[in-house]
Amino acid sequence: MNLMRMVKAQVLNVVDRTVPVKPLQRSQEEQVLLNRESRRMHLYISHNCPASIELKRHCQRIGLNVVEKDVGRVNCYRNELVNGGGHSMVPCLMVDDNHGRSWVYSPESIYSFLDNRLGILSSVAQLKQA
């Protein structure tokens, strides 16, 4: 790990612990759908990884209450990650849905997956309101 990445991770870790995230305000119906969806997601992170911290805060900002699993602190989470997804890379999002488990690696892929999934959820909530 290079020095700049280590410093960035430490700074983001301090910011994460001291500055609260203000979640996006949603309608009650949208938040219920989001909470239901959140129970199916596990975010594997490390507090030594800047991308993990940024992604965790992004999930909090959009109101997604994913289960966070710190692979740096708990070895069984790292084992789950390696056995399930095949890699020990973080951040990783595990989604358990009707088609089985999906393991999404790389921050860009996770952001696009969440944007796509949340776009679908908001359209479903709008259909229910109509």
Side-chain angles (χ1 to χ4, degrees):
M1 181 186 310
N2 65 24
L3 182 63
M4 288 304 293
R5 187 168 178 241
M6 245 173 54
V7 169
K8 184 177 179 182
Q10 292 302 319
V11 169
L12 282 175
N13 206 0
V14 169
V15 168
D16 185 43
R17 294 174 191 266
T18 57
V19 180
V21 175
K22 183 179 179 188
L24 188 66
Q25 295 298 317
R26 299 183 181 275
S27 69
Q28 184 67 25
E29 293 83 18
E30 279 185 322
Q31 193 60 47
V32 166
L33 285 174
L34 199 59
N35 290 341
R36 214 176 273 151
E37 196 69 22
S38 297
R39 287 187 289 243
R40 300 177 185 160
M41 297 182 188
H42 296 246
L43 182 62
Y44 292 86
I45 62 170
S46 172
H47 287 287
N48 296 326
C49 174
S52 293
I53 298 169
E54 290 172 356
L55 188 59
K56 180 183 102 163
R57 290 180 65 85
H58 175 73
C59 287
Q60 291 171 343
R61 192 173 303 111
I62 61 176
L64 194 62
N65 302 316
V66 296
V67 177
E68 296 171 10
K69 296 186 173 184
D70 188 354
V71 299
R73 294 189 178 151
V74 182
N75 284 335
C76 70
Y77 293 157
R78 181 176 298 280
N79 293 340
E80 283 178 20
L81 181 61
V82 171
N83 292 335
H87 304 288
S88 64
M89 288 176 24
V90 290
C92 176
L93 182 70
M94 188 277 295
V95 181
D96 200 3
D97 58 10
N98 298 337
H99 307 293
R101 286 191 170 165
S102 304
W103 298 84
V104 184
Y105 287 94
S106 91
E108 295 82 20
S109 300
I110 296 171
Y111 284 124
S112 65
F113 175 84
L114 290 175
D115 288 343
N116 184 27
R117 193 71 163 237
L118 295 179
I120 292 170
L121 284 178
S122 65
S123 63
V124 168
Q126 289 173 356
L127 286 174
K128 285 186 176 183
Q129 289 176 355

